[in-house]
Amino acid sequence: MAKDESFDIVSKVDFPEVTNAITATMKEIKTRYDFKGSKSEVTLDKEELVLVSDDEFKMDQLKDVLLGRLIKRGVPVKNLDYGKLEKASGGTVRQRAKLVQGIDKENAKKINTIIKNSGLKVKSQIQDDQVRVSGKNRDDLQKIISLVREADLTVDVQFINYR
């Protein structure tokens, strides 16, 4: 009798890499001419990025620099959920970006539907904020991984505990 193979589909953010990206962003902003004399900064508050800048134009530039650094560090930028642009003290503007962790119910159901529609002999279970996929054939699991990678999900997913 063949043993079941399995893996988990998760969505996680590596916070040390986020901190490194913020440090690199702040370093670049201090040296850029177009940010000279600007009150622009990025900070990490628990699981939320707080961006502060002089105006909307500088905020967009700040986001571009930050996104470039996050991508370079391998942090999934799909997991950023931006809030509204709000006025802050000293004539500046502030925007919060929540770092989404875990797969929400909607995306988990989408993943389950993809797996069921594939016609492969695998089982999937939603477990809190992750999805476990198991089956007898490793090739089927590989096909599921490629199908989920191609899917249009609102969060970036990783595949762990492949055994």
Side-chain angles (χ1 to χ4, degrees):
M1 186 163 133
K3 186 179 157 232
D4 271 5
E5 309 287 338
S6 70
F7 67 89
D8 295 330
I9 303 172
V10 297
S11 179
K12 294 192 179 190
V13 176
D14 191 8
F15 281 98
E17 290 298 338
V18 172
T19 306
N20 291 340
I22 290 171
T23 305
T25 300
M26 291 308 297
K27 215 178 251 186
E28 182 174 334
I29 287 196
K30 283 185 173 81
T31 60
R32 278 182 50 165
Y33 180 75
D34 54 341
F35 279 100
K36 206 169 261 330
S38 171
K39 297 175 189 149
S40 298
E41 69 172 352
V42 181
T43 55
L44 183 64
D45 180 30
K46 293 179 184 144
E47 290 188 6
E48 223 175 31
L49 291 171
V50 180
L51 294 90
V52 178
S53 197
D54 297 333
D55 53 38
E56 280 187 55
F57 179 72
K58 281 224 170 67
M59 179 65 77
D60 289 339
Q61 288 180 319
L62 180 63
K63 278 196 242 179
D64 285 346
V65 173
L66 178 64
L67 288 178
R69 296 299 176 177
L70 288 171
I71 290 168
K72 213 177 228 181
R73 290 272 177 196
V75 177
V77 293
K78 235 183 183 183
N79 290 20
L80 287 175
D81 183 21
Y82 287 104
K84 286 202 296 194
L85 201 62
E86 54 194 45
K87 299 257 184 242
S89 62
T92 59
V93 289
R94 178 187 315 122
Q95 189 169 23
R96 295 180 179 274
K98 189 173 182 342
L99 290 159
V100 179
Q101 294 236 82
I103 299 173
D104 60 331
K105 294 280 185 216
E106 185 180 310
N107 282 317
K109 285 179 184 176
K110 239 186 227 184
I111 291 170
N112 257 349
T113 306
I114 291 166
I115 292 168
K116 281 187 178 45
N117 292 343
S118 71
L120 299 170
K121 291 186 178 181
V122 293
K123 293 181 278 187
S124 62
Q125 300 173 294
I126 300 173
Q127 299 175 336
D128 294 332
D129 60 351
Q130 67 183 22
V131 178
R132 169 148 303 157
V133 181
S134 58
K136 293 196 184 313
N137 190 346
R138 277 188 174 224
D139 292 336
D140 288 349
L141 294 181
Q142 291 288 344
K143 289 174 188 168
I144 294 296
I145 288 175
S146 65
L147 285 172
V148 171
R149 276 203 177 117
E150 292 168 7
D152 184 31
L153 302 172
T154 57
V155 293
D156 190 61
V157 293
Q158 295 89 32
F159 306 94
I160 60 170
N161 297 336
Y162 191 79
R163 51 183 159 224

